[in-house]
Amino acid sequence: MLYIVGLGLGDEKDITLRGLEAVNKSQKVYIEAYTSLLSFGISQDGISTLEKLYGKPLIVADREMVEEKVDDMLLEARQFDVSFLVVGDPFGATTHSDLVVRAKKLDVQVQVIYNASVMNAVGVCGLQLYRYGETVSLPFFTETWRPDSFYEKIHKNRALGLHTLCLLDIRVKEPSLESLCRGKKQYEPPSFMTIGVAIDQLLEVEQLRGESAYGEDTLCVGFARLGSENQMVVAGSMKQLRTVDFGPPLHCLTIVGKTHPLEEEMLDFYRN
């Protein structure tokens, strides 16, 4: 059996009882470390904290391992129970559908164990989840790469009066362009997009496109470290939020659409 286990958003204690049972039954336990991080990070301290609670050694699965060597893990799951731990929910912000498809093609049994995700945790601010449109991802801009495909999706959501959740880029164990050109991978230090950087990029694209999808005065909600004890939620205009210090990662941002009076009442608690 391959267990795909959601870990939730906070720390090692957010695993469900069913998830913990799966881990205990597994001979090998992998933890993915490329789509998100727990609040304490994938550090030696973080891993040892997880290992202490779960009672099992953990194998960190970076992007390369999952993209290039995942079949090795799946073949193991044909012989014995394997757990693959995912921060948040397995089918939340980043789906693991490809892993399930590959497992089924190899006749590996799969059991998914769900947990909290950023996709539902943003409900804390009072904006109703069924009033959200398509979620977008904001990648880090570079000097030569400034994609703006998210703009049309935000524009469409706003035209329909819907809120837009913006997931902000994280870069973990990314090879530098220079090292790839030399043929020997060297990795850049981890980086996490802040709400301020996200708003700067959003406004840059609006200035270029000029279709009034949003602007400096558009109401937004910034979230930091959702699910942790020190989570931060602030509502305000883009102009206001870009000056707020949200502290350590992870951050995400909601661009507010048309609001219901009850949503407005809840948002008032979080206005800067």
Side-chain angles (χ1 to χ4, degrees):
M1 179 74 75
L2 172 67
Y3 296 100
I4 306 179
V5 181
L7 294 180
L9 294 171
D11 57 25
E12 71 281 0
K13 297 174 187 174
D14 280 358
I15 193 171
T16 64
L17 289 175
R18 184 172 292 173
L20 194 55
E21 286 174 357
V23 169
N24 289 336
K25 286 191 285 189
S26 298
Q27 286 183 243
K28 274 195 174 181
V29 183
Y30 294 85
I31 180 168
E32 65 97 21
Y34 57 91
T35 61
S36 187
L37 298 174
L38 293 173
S39 58
F40 50 81
I42 302 297
S43 62
Q44 191 55 48
D45 288 344
I47 290 296
S48 63
T49 304
L50 286 163
E51 289 174 336
K52 185 176 179 181
L53 178 63
Y54 303 161
K56 291 285 177 74
L58 300 184
I59 302 164
V60 177
D62 58 26
R63 188 186 300 274
E64 286 179 28
M65 181 265 168
V66 174
E67 289 179 352
E68 299 172 13
K69 301 176 183 175
V70 68
D71 285 349
D72 293 343
M73 180 179 73
L74 295 177
L75 290 173
E76 290 173 347
R78 292 180 69 173
Q79 307 299 321
F80 48 80
D81 289 344
V82 173
S83 282
F84 184 73
L85 310 183
V86 178
V87 178
D89 182 81
F91 298 117
T94 299
T95 69
H96 290 81
S97 302
D98 180 62
L99 182 59
V100 174
V101 169
R102 293 170 79 162
K104 289 184 178 296
K105 285 181 178 179
L106 291 171
D107 291 325
V108 174
Q109 294 186 73
V110 177
Q111 184 174 336
V112 178
I113 299 170
Y114 306 100
N115 210 316
S117 158
V118 65
M119 304 292 280
N120 62 282
V122 291
V124 66
C125 71
L127 294 176
Q128 295 164 3
L129 293 178
Y130 61 82
R131 294 289 301 161
Y132 273 80
E134 186 172 356
T135 297
V136 302
S137 296
L138 302 184
F140 277 114
F141 284 176
T142 69
E143 289 188 12
T144 57
W145 190 63
R146 305 177 97 72
D148 62 0
S149 60
F150 56 80
Y151 184 82
E152 283 137 14
K153 296 175 184 178
I154 297 172
H155 202 338
K156 183 178 179 181
N157 287 345
R158 298 269 294 160
L160 294 170
L162 302 176
H163 316 309
T164 306
L165 174 59
C166 303
L167 301 176
L168 311 189
D169 201 4
I170 70 172
R171 296 177 63 84
V172 179
K173 203 175 180 184
E174 295 284 345
S176 67
L177 182 59
E178 184 182 348
S179 72
L180 287 175
C181 292
R182 291 201 308 262
K184 185 178 181 182
K185 286 184 181 178
Q186 288 184 319
Y187 299 100
E188 297 175 344
S191 54
F192 311 91
M193 186 181 289
T194 63
I195 288 165
V197 168
I199 290 173
D200 286 344
Q201 292 189 180
L202 284 164
L203 292 175
E204 177 185 320
V205 172
E206 174 58 57
Q207 190 170 14
L208 288 170
R209 299 289 290 266
E211 297 172 32
S212 300
Y214 49 80
E216 279 194 337
D217 296 326
T218 298
L219 180 63
C220 294
V221 184
F223 305 88
R225 300 170 302 282
L226 274 173
S228 67
E229 291 184 1
N230 67 341
Q231 72 176 19
M232 186 173 177
V233 182
V234 182
S237 68
M238 285 192 175
K239 186 176 182 180
Q240 290 170 328
L241 293 190
R242 74 198 299 189
T243 65
V244 174
D245 180 6
F246 281 89
L250 296 168
H251 295 182
C252 63
L253 178 74
T254 289
I255 301 172
V256 179
K258 187 177 179 180
T259 52
H260 182 276
L262 183 59
E263 290 179 307
E264 284 287 344
E265 195 172 352
M266 279 286 286
L267 284 176
D268 283 342
F269 291 112
Y270 299 106
R271 289 185 188 271
N272 186 25

